[in-house]
Amino acid sequence: MPLAIKAFFVALLFSSIASAAIVEHVFHVEDVMMKPLCKKQMIPAVNGSLPGPTINVREGDTLVVHVINNSTYNITIHWHGVFQRKSPWMDGANMITQCPIQPGYNFTYRFDITGQEGTLLWHAHVVNLRATLHGAIIIRPRSGRPYPFPKPYKEVPIIFAQWWDVDLRVLQLRPAPIADAFLINGLAGDTYTCSKNRMYNLKVVQGKTYLLRIINAALNTHLFFKIANHNVTVVAIDAAYTTPYVSDVMILTPGQTVDALLTADQPIGLYYMTISAYISAHPIVPLPTDRTINGLIVYEGATLNTSPAKTTMPGGMNQISTAHRFSSNMTSLVGGPHWTPVPRHVDEKMFITMGLGLDPCPLGTKCPGPLGQRYAGSLNNRTFPIPQTLSLQEAYYYNISGIYTDDFPNQPPLKFDYTNFEVTGDNEYKMLFPERKASVKKLKFNSTVEVIVQNTAIITSESHPMHLHGFNFYVLGYGYGNYDPINDARKLNLVNPQMRNTVGVPPGGWVVLRFIADNPGAWMFHCHMDAHLPYGIIMAFIVENGPTPETSLQPPPSNLPQCTRDPKIYESPTTNIDLSY
């Protein structure tokens, strides 16, 4: 890298520049030694911190982030929940919108943030690297525009994460859902002897109200969050405003965010804030029984050597009902900033079965799954292998075959009792082994799409957080059992449904989603548990071009990271090269 450019990047590292409507950051990704738990571990981190830097913008700003990869990992950075209007090449989805930034290389992400306010997150989009490469994106209203709720005394990002006392490369070889600890803002707290003096403290003033910007950046675990003796008022989820909703407990799937008002209305003292795992599946491996991690609410004037008030976290079967009550009861703020009514006419209807299946174990290999096979993801009996030679969006733009197929089905190949699966013949047996195929669904520009996601019990029934890149969707309904297209359809909320980019599909249940495909490009729809990415619980939507250049996929930036140095691949959109894998 030329010295002048390097000096420029170094200067930016120490001072983020915010002039007019441009907010600029530099992310130095390096391997650093950290010890949030019991032993030091070498991890990739942005600017030497865990979690990484918080990005503060206003709605309408342009964000520019220079990512310099001096780590030993291939990386991309995904701006989770950002719409990426007119900037689909900036989405940061590894091998979907770009090839990774290789060690020793850099790439600049530049995009506008429009039509959304609240809390989102950025994170690495290479399997398991989100464990340490993540941070908050805080989108405030444009200057002079108020929040649609009373202005808080202070705003506080609170980020949940998982920590392993092993090298992340080990996790990349064999993704593991069980972590050694959870973290609150990078600290494991007093649950562990080795970290009892390293607990996140939030100091509050009695009578004041705080806006908690809560993010679940954990790789694989839904997390309950509770503050002893306090209620909170939820005012936004996934950067979409909600009707104020009062609760004493919250549930966040991996990738979800919650903005909640906390009023310090209790006697002066110390109060635990606690996170614990939501276990919705019959465990495939033994799970620890105590997974709670504490932070501390410290009232001004409190005596510090007193015992904090404790939380009582949901447990047993109560977990499922508590999670469902919180997730399903919230509604959007009708008439609030960026609210839009639900489109009533539907152009494309899809019914997607989702869960785990099996992949044949290679000869001479011992595999850990049922029947001696490997685990595989399943969406309509398809499991998605990540492209290896070229990103999916580049293949689409340059008309290169062999990377994906455009035949993702609108329904599964077999109708069956989805939540009580039994193998009764060859057809059911075939459903155990999804077809390995990188298939996408093409959508007409500006079409309205309804997706019913039906959880299955083919291997095990558990809650899967399904995340859609490039869009928010209306969550029209949640339910348990097999979706009934007549009776359940009558109960859908078409008036004020919540809007999200990530939704937890209930174990043994379903969700109904609706969105407008008005953002040309290739957009992943996948389970946001990183352990399930290599399994292939993934598909993608390709939104075709609209009628004008403004509504069409633009050429990729000239410095987009490349997987291959063959110049013929990048000549023009009329290229027709076969890169079959």
Side-chain angles (χ1 to χ4, degrees):
M1 183 186 300
L3 288 177
I5 296 177
K6 188 172 184 179
F8 168 73
F9 282 142
V10 170
L12 278 177
L13 172 63
F14 297 104
S15 176
S16 293
I17 300 171
S19 61
I22 297 177
V23 177
E24 198 161 1
H25 286 261
V26 171
F27 280 12
H28 278 278
V29 185
E30 297 178 307
D31 296 341
V32 298
M33 196 71 74
M34 287 194 180
K35 186 185 176 183
L37 197 56
C38 301
K39 63 179 183 181
K40 289 183 178 180
Q41 197 71 305
M42 186 72 76
I43 64 167
V46 172
N47 298 351
S49 65
L50 178 67
T54 294
I55 291 177
N56 290 281
V57 295
R58 291 188 179 275
E59 192 269 329
D61 283 352
T62 297
L63 178 62
V64 180
V65 181
H66 308 280
V67 178
I68 304 171
N69 186 12
N70 289 322
S71 77
T72 55
Y73 297 85
N74 288 340
I75 63 166
T76 66
I77 301 296
H78 171 51
W79 316 95
H80 183 111
V82 175
F83 295 149
Q84 299 295 355
R85 301 284 184 185
K86 303 179 184 178
S87 55
W89 299 104
M90 301 291 110
D91 190 48
N94 184 43
M95 299 310 299
I96 303 299
T97 59
Q98 69 169 94
C99 297
I101 307 167
Q102 299 174 32
Y105 287 82
N106 62 78
F107 179 63
T108 295
Y109 293 92
R110 182 186 182 99
F111 50 90
D112 297 335
I113 298 180
T114 59
Q116 51 194 154
E117 298 172 16
T119 304
L120 296 172
L121 67 153
W122 61 263
H123 62 79
H125 211 286
V126 175
V127 173
N128 292 325
L129 294 188
R130 186 173 86 236
T132 60
L133 296 174
H134 60 257
I137 302 174
I138 296 175
I139 309 169
R140 295 184 174 87
R142 295 186 185 225
S143 182
R145 297 183 182 177
Y147 290 127
F149 49 81
K151 184 178 179 180
Y153 175 69
K154 188 176 181 181
E155 301 181 17
V156 184
I158 297 180
I159 303 177
F160 308 146
Q162 287 177 283
W163 176 263
W164 284 263
D165 266 339
V166 298
D167 193 299
L168 287 179
R169 288 179 180 83
V170 175
L171 296 183
Q172 288 186 308
L173 292 174
R174 48 175 182 82
I178 306 306
D180 292 296
F182 299 115
L183 306 177
I184 300 177
N185 284 354
L187 301 172
D190 62 357
T191 301
Y192 299 86
T193 303
C194 60
S195 66
K196 64 180 181 181
N197 295 322
R198 299 196 301 273
M199 181 161 56
Y200 174 67
N201 287 3
L202 172 58
K203 297 179 180 179
V204 301
V205 177
Q206 191 178 44
K208 299 292 186 182
T209 297
Y210 298 78
L211 177 59
L212 307 183
R213 296 182 175 274
I214 307 161
I215 297 168
N216 186 359
L219 285 189
N220 301 313
T221 306
H222 303 44
L223 292 169
F224 288 108
F225 179 52
K226 194 170 185 178
I227 300 172
N229 299 354
H230 290 73
N231 288 332
V232 297
T233 301
V234 176
V235 292
I237 52 177
D238 290 3
Y241 291 118
T242 65
T243 304
Y245 177 72
V246 178
S247 181
D248 67 334
V249 64
M250 290 171 273
I251 178 77
L252 290 86
T253 76
Q256 286 186 336
T257 69
V258 172
D259 289 357
L261 296 172
L262 167 70
T263 299
D265 56 3
Q266 296 299 302
I268 290 175
L270 308 178
Y271 300 84
Y272 274 134
M273 62 172 93
T274 304
I275 58 175
S276 65
Y278 167 40
I279 307 301
S280 63
H282 296 293
I284 296 172
V285 294
L287 293 177
T289 56
D290 184 6
R291 304 298 295 172
T292 61
I293 296 293
N294 295 317
L296 202 60
I297 301 289
V298 180
Y299 275 68
E300 185 178 71
T303 303
L304 298 183
N305 59 0
T306 57
S307 296
K310 296 181 178 180
T311 57
T312 301
M313 303 304 288
M317 292 304 295
N318 187 44
Q319 285 195 330
I320 293 178
S321 60
T322 301
H324 181 69
R325 182 171 60 252
F326 180 81
S327 298
S328 62
N329 277 347
M330 283 179 291
T331 57
S332 63
L333 185 63
V334 174
H338 315 297
W339 175 83
T340 55
V342 180
R344 297 303 179 98
H345 174 76
V346 175
D347 300 295
E348 190 85 50
K349 284 195 173 185
M350 303 178 70
F351 182 87
I352 300 179
T353 53
M354 175 213 58
L356 293 177
L358 299 175
D359 192 35
C361 190
L363 291 175
T365 304
K366 187 177 181 180
C367 294
L371 306 177
Q373 308 300 318
R374 298 183 297 191
Y375 290 108
S378 180
L379 293 175
N380 277 352
N381 215 39
R382 298 279 177 91
T383 185
F384 190 102
I386 295 292
Q388 299 297 311
T389 57
L390 188 70
S391 74
L392 191 152
Q393 188 162 260
E394 287 174 282
Y396 168 63
Y397 182 79
Y398 290 111
N399 192 28
I400 297 171
S401 59
I403 301 297
Y404 68 91
T405 63
D406 60 2
D407 59 351
F408 186 86
N410 278 1
Q411 59 275 323
L414 177 71
K415 291 184 178 180
F416 58 97
D417 187 352
Y418 308 114
T419 57
N420 293 285
F421 179 79
E422 291 183 8
V423 176
T424 57
D426 288 345
N427 286 335
E428 288 81 12
Y429 185 78
K430 289 178 182 177
M431 294 300 293
L432 284 172
F433 294 89
E435 182 181 6
R436 187 174 174 82
K437 200 173 189 182
S439 51
V440 308
K441 172 70 177 177
K442 282 192 172 180
L443 300 172
K444 295 295 185 184
F445 177 78
N446 223 29
S447 60
T448 297
V449 185
E450 182 172 289
V451 182
I452 300 162
V453 185
Q454 173 70 60
N455 213 328
T456 69
I458 291 178
I459 299 298
T460 183
S461 179
E462 66 177 312
S463 175
H464 293 270
M466 294 301 292
H467 171 50
L468 177 60
H469 291 223
F471 302 90
N472 277 353
F473 44 69
Y474 301 91
V475 185
L476 304 183
Y478 295 80
Y480 286 93
N482 297 326
Y483 177 76
D484 185 327
I486 297 176
N487 294 321
D488 289 329
R490 294 175 181 149
K491 304 172 188 175
L492 299 181
N493 180 359
L494 300 176
V495 178
N496 61 348
Q498 60 187 260
M499 300 187 72
R500 283 195 173 277
N501 62 63
T502 306
V503 64
V505 184
W510 49 266
V511 295
V512 179
L513 315 175
R514 194 176 290 182
F515 67 98
I516 300 175
D518 57 358
N519 198 3
W523 306 105
M524 285 182 83
F525 183 49
H526 66 99
C527 179
H528 210 259
M529 296 165 69
D530 262 39
H532 291 174
L533 279 179
Y535 293 166
I537 306 184
I538 304 169
M539 59 86 64
F541 293 103
I542 289 182
V543 179
E544 297 177 337
N545 288 338
T548 67
E550 286 286 298
T551 57
S552 299
L553 178 62
Q554 298 301 303
S558 59
N559 64 337
L560 190 73
Q562 297 182 6
C563 295
T564 176
R565 300 300 169 188
D566 182 355
K568 290 186 295 183
I569 290 177
Y570 302 95
E571 285 176 356
S572 74
T574 59
T575 306
N576 190 2
I577 298 174
D578 190 338
L579 289 180
S580 298
Y581 51 86

